[in-house]
């Protein structure tokens, strides 16, 4: 599989997570979906054995950082008890996923 295809697959996973967050209040389903992102990124993109360009490497660093922050967001979502807080956390995660999708798009189109 070529590197751009890996990013396209990763972007599709990100979009699926976004959809789950928008449509589902099932925190376990959200946790499972979000939890699969970092291992996929590590295995399929960072572990692909391909040497990234300098630009791609910059995106990889940002994606790694955003994935770590997404994991923190997930922890906060899991701890949220009030409906308003849950909604705020979900929106924060949706926005972060949108940022990750834009990074993937940037790599795909270069």
């Amino acid at each position: 599989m070529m590197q751009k295809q890996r990013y396209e697959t990763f972007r599709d996973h990100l979009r699926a997570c976004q959809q789950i967050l928008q449509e589902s209040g099932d925190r376990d389903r959200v946790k499972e979906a979000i939890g699969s992102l970092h291992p996929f990124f590590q295995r399929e993109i960072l572990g692909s054995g391909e040497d990234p360009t300098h630009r791609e490497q910059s995106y990889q660093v940002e994606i790694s950082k955003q994935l770590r922050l997404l994991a923190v967001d997930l922890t906060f979502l899991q701890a949220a008890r009030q409906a308003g807080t849950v909604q705020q956390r979900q929106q924060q995660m949706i926005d972060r996923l949108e940022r990750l999708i834009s990074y993937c798009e940037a790599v795909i189109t270069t």
Side-chain angles (χ1 to χ4, degrees):
M1 182 186 298
M2 293 179 58
Q3 194 71 342
K4 286 188 184 204
Q5 288 174 313
R6 289 183 181 93
Y7 278 98
E8 288 170 356
T9 302
F10 185 59
R11 179 196 59 201
D12 294 344
H13 285 297
L14 293 166
R15 286 183 177 154
C17 288
Q18 218 176 19
Q19 189 170 6
I20 290 168
L21 270 164
Q22 289 169 334
E23 296 174 358
S24 173
D26 183 350
R27 293 187 197 184
D28 288 335
R29 189 167 172 225
V30 169
K31 183 179 180 180
E32 182 181 329
I34 298 293
S36 70
L37 292 174
H38 201 261
F40 180 89
F41 181 71
Q42 290 282 349
R43 182 182 64 250
E44 296 297 323
I45 294 176
L46 296 181
S48 70
E50 293 186 32
D51 287 332
T53 64
H54 178 69
R55 181 181 168 150
E56 183 184 346
Q57 192 171 26
S58 296
Y59 280 112
Q60 288 176 352
V61 168
E62 280 303 308
I63 290 170
S64 290
K65 180 177 90 174
Q66 292 299 320
L67 287 172
R68 286 192 305 275
L69 291 171
L70 190 62
V72 172
D73 292 341
L74 179 62
T75 302
F76 286 138
L77 175 66
Q78 297 290 97
R81 297 291 167 242
Q82 296 181 355
T85 307
V86 169
Q87 189 175 21
Q88 181 183 13
R89 299 295 183 197
Q90 285 176 323
Q91 188 58 51
Q92 192 173 5
M93 293 174 76
I94 289 167
D95 294 345
R96 195 172 307 282
L97 287 163
E98 191 60 44
R99 190 172 304 121
L100 284 160
I101 290 167
S102 72
Y103 293 159
C104 289
E105 294 287 346
V107 172
I108 291 166
T109 58
T110 57

